[in-house]
Amino acid sequence: MISQPHRAPQGGLVDRSQTLRFRFDGRDYAGHPGDTLASALLANGVRLVGRSFKYHRPRGFLSAGPEEPNGIVELRTGARREPNTRATTAELFDGLEARSQNRWPSLAFDLLAVNGLAGPLFSAGFYYKTFMWPAAFWEKLYEPLIRRAAGLGRAAGAPDPDHYEKAFAFCDVLVIGAGPAGLAAALAAGRAGARVIVCEQDFALGGRLLSDRREIAGRPAGEWLRDAVAELESLPNVTITRRTTVYGAFDGGTFGAVERVADHLPVPPPHQPRQRAWRIVAKRSVLAAGSIERPVVFAGNDTPGVMLAGSVRTYVNRFAALPGREAVVFATVSEAWNTARDLAAAGARVAALVDPRPEPDPALAALAREIGAALHVDSVVSAASGGRALSTVTVRDAQGREQAVSCDLLAVSNGWNPTLHLTSHQNNKPAWNPAIDAFVPDKLPPGMSVAGAAAGRFALAEILAEGSQLGGEAASACGFVSPAPQDLDADPETPSSGPLWRVVGGKGKAFVDFQNDVTDADIELSAREGYRSVEHLKRYTTLGMATDQGKTSNLPGLALMAEQTGRSIPETGTTIFRPPFTPVAIGALAGHHRGKDFRPLRLSPTHAWSREQGAVFIESGLWMRAQYYPRAGEADWLQTVNREVLAVRGGVGICDVSTLGKIDVQGADAAEFLERVYINHWKSLPVGKARYGVMLREDGFVMDDGTTSRLGESHYLLTTTTANAGAVMQHLEFCHEVLWPELDLRLVSVSEQWAQMAVAGPRSRELLRGVVDAGHDISNEAMPYLAARAVTVGGGVPARLFRISFSGELAYEIAVPADYGHALATALTEAGRPLGVTPYGLEAMAVMRIEKGHAAGGELNGQTTARDLGLSRMMSTKKDYVGRVMAGREALVAPERPILVGLKPVDAGQRLRAGAHFVEVGALATMANDLGHMTSVAFSPNLGCWIGLGLLADGQKRIGGRVRAVDPVRNGDVEVEVCSPVFLDPEGTRLHG
Amino acid sequence: MVETASVGWTRRSAWADVAKAGRFGAQGTTGVVVELLYGLGIATLIVADGGGPALAAALRDRIGIEPPLTPLIRRSGGRALAWAGPDRWMLVADRRDDLDPVCEGLHALAAVSNQSDGWASLQIGGPDVRRALAKGVMLDLHPSAFPDGAVALTAVSHINVVIWREGDAFTLLAPRSMAGSIWSWLSASTAEFGCEVRG
């Protein structure tokens, strides 16, 4: 059994029946369930837990909560290692491994602590002033050096093995914080019958009731707490989520929260996420987030052993861990004297009570006598020292006489700041309340009310009453009838006195922002150099910009600046907060959507068939599409693709085209609608025929192309490219609903309903004859080029047959309901076996369309007009259509504008590259000489060389001439011959075969 | 001339290769029961200009359902009408073959598009169903906000879905091509409760 020398033998909320073993910086320790890493370390007498960011000063815990600036550690190891975790909120578990940060080579002996000796060098603005020149040094030298010296924890550097998830919750009343105010609010709203969600960042409910020895209604507060929690848990309309931080308040009553589902376990249990990011939508919210205690700025106030008084009570009362054996209490508020009482009760010696007030409080004198502590009234602690552990504080009286007091713990309190962060997330500024010398919530997000300490009310009886009242009001606002608010007595409290922001004149650095190492001298420097606005102060000194976001430092910093500039605190500025309240792991925000779940993946209805055929797939937008179908013995993809192309052109091939967008256009005005969205004519298209169409955006550039078939008198099927399916549907809906609502027209996407295969090659009809039911005549006469008809396959399965071609061969596309997609592909494969049918993929399809000069992705790039693509003859002059006027703009019809041409290397052995730019043969490869670029390339097995399509200035005139295709990125410089973009069968005889 | 192929023209469910009957997730408890719906007949009906009253009358006559004008689903026996937008419904039949008799001759009153193969459909129930769905459905599914018969067109896991509630069970329709992705989300979201899948 490892002893815990600073653990009290009884008391507190730790379960001594179980021992949890953990490691810190390689040493073994023990703690108990109910501990945080911080409380367990303190129970083991470990007080040096980190080194500071800039000066590498030794640091111990300042607090016991999420505001902690010093005690940030790396938790866990390997892929689960997480840096910058607050040990004060990390729940202890068996086997926990933690490591201090920002020290080298070890925590006790840190070589970089010389930065502290070189103090003046590192004062505010140091980086800005020092690393200004020469500018080129910044990226290569200064920044890497600074980062190495100043970094905090190390990221794991490996993929996080855990699962995270997102979830959505809705309620009438969201209660943020389960201290006395929050519990009272939740009880009132819950009893009224409202749907209530209570979020508590801690793993235990109760807030300060866990830390302070208080009484409610004549009983120990713990008993009231137990009853309140039991009642809430019994209400079916109340949900309590522990370990859940509400980190942001957003528009419309929406809150972001992160639930640390399994952070308190070595690894998440099976099927459990590590963390869950909640989006909570609440009709009303009650903020009961409590308050954060304020330190005093004095020399050596960062020495390990200097701790906030309220946190000392938390360690003593809640965790039964004594942060020190010989204590001094230095406080400007009466309530902090309870710290001395509790320390003494736990067996510590309280050496001195230091009270800056000139008049001694009679109760305090009595307490001092009772616990045998020296009482120093009208005095301050002017310095703390001891290096790695506090050993002495200097007490200075009003006359300036100083006295050293030995101690290993200094409990400090300078009053409390309401935790009002969420109230200002929608840009509401808090207001200064001189009665408590603190900012309090002012304008609130809609639907929010603030109860208890978060609103600046610190007396327990008031907190309970206000919580109960606001909880009831929130429920009433949601239409529930609330019982009368409950009034509960609490033990009496002494009102607090005014703050003391800093004690000057001590020897050593006095810290304002512990985590970013900002001292009082830095703030003085900032004031001297004119950075006096709070926004400048922050950026100049980095005050409040660390991971703790200045929870303990913003107000002291502001107070010091006010003092420097002779203004009041509210005149100097206000602090405002943005989400998140505490850091949120990116993984929690991503949830399930990482890796292959980053976005949906779409599989075609023939996917399994393609897989059976050995396809190599490629991501194409959201789709996985078959790229090519390698066979044994093929050396590379090019060999495979060449085989596929030759097989199609020499026989027959089949290819999945299910991914094309398909839109049903129905209604009496369907033809009129097509006339208006396409550049070409549609009213002449008879039933049973398909036509190629091009549509423009309003700005005159080509949006998409595809075939549209007239299936019935007033029923058309419009197809889009795979990439533009969604955008075209949106465009058409916009056109119908906004531009021409008077058209009798209905649009619906049927893309998912149909599986579609292209069947291409001179023997395609022969193959289809084996699949289409015998009753359907598909001869050239019955089914000529561009015919589109309903047929059946497989003995009655409805199908659509289109005689259209992308490859330039005799070709068809055949569609069946998606459930039959696999059967169709299999039937084509089986029926085609005697014909040597060859499945082909995207690559072969691309080769064939380039051989035919058909525009596709590389050419339909959003910057080309129909004219650029050689389609100007399609542009009707007899009707209006979307984009017509803008397509006629001068620059878009200028004769020198690049136009689609074909390109072949002069030396047939040379490879072409898409993206290469064209220049004249003798010209320099400069932008000034740029003539356009290569949009698509392919190796044509039919021509035996690489071919390309490109957009070339004066392209029509250059046919037969030569230019260079220059590709500086890949050191390519190839002389190419300009030719017609139709490389193969320009007469189109194959098409009609 | 090639012989007609001798392959079976069998249908293949959107869930083939994606999900199958069985159990997964937490042991000893069944918080969520998922039924892979296969064979539903689904058609989109969009009212033709001026065809509204006649379409409503025809549907009342044929299936005894008044087309809902708000996001609701109404059922009569094996057929239901789910609101799918202004002047637009999904006609859902438990059996695909029941679709055609209803749609016969409606074409003058509405655009009718068969979508039976385009959706991957699930029915999800069990004591933890709302907790599981809350991990992706961005809507309040509490009975006070999403009561029996409520319909929503929404997005789950970046996927457009249709969801409706009948009794304590939810029906979820996702685009067929994304069946794998929606299942990946659903299985991750239901595992902690213990999930039984019925095929």
Side-chain angles (χ1 to χ4, degrees), chain A residues 839-860:
Chain A
Y840 66 98
L842 279 185
E843 294 293 344
M845 190 195 286
V847 171
M848 289 187 280
R849 72 97 185 165
I850 293 170
E851 286 177 335
K852 289 297 295 179
H854 291 314
E859 293 76 37
L860 302 178

Side-chain angles (χ1 to χ4, degrees), chain A residues 85 211 214 348:
Chain A
T85 306
S211 301
R214 303 298 308 271

Side-chain angles (χ1 to χ4, degrees), chain A residues 131 134-148:
Chain A
F131 298 119
F137 275 28
W138 175 255
E139 215 173 289
K140 294 215 159 59
L141 181 67
Y142 297 149
E143 194 186 341
L145 268 176
I146 294 168
R147 288 203 182 279
R148 195 181 313 155

Side-chain angles (χ1 to χ4, degrees), chain A residues 614-636:
Chain A
V616 170
F617 291 95
I618 185 170
E619 281 184 38
S620 166
L622 298 182
W623 291 98
M624 289 300 279
R625 299 186 68 183
Q627 191 180 9
Y628 54 95
Y629 295 82
R631 285 191 184 158
E634 286 174 344
D636 60 9

Side-chain angles (χ1 to χ4, degrees), chain A residues 421-432:
Chain A
H421 301 65
L422 293 177
T423 66
S424 68
H425 281 182
Q426 289 169 36
N427 215 20
N428 298 324
K429 286 192 170 174
W432 181 253

Side-chain angles (χ1 to χ4, degrees), chain A residues 40 78 92 103 118-119 263 336-337 340 355 362 368 462 498 510 540 608 681 698 758 930 960:
Chain A
L92 194 68
R103 82 288 190 276
D263 276 8
W337 304 119
D355 186 350
E462 267 183 58
Y540 192 62
H681 285 286
E698 196 64 83
D930 185 34

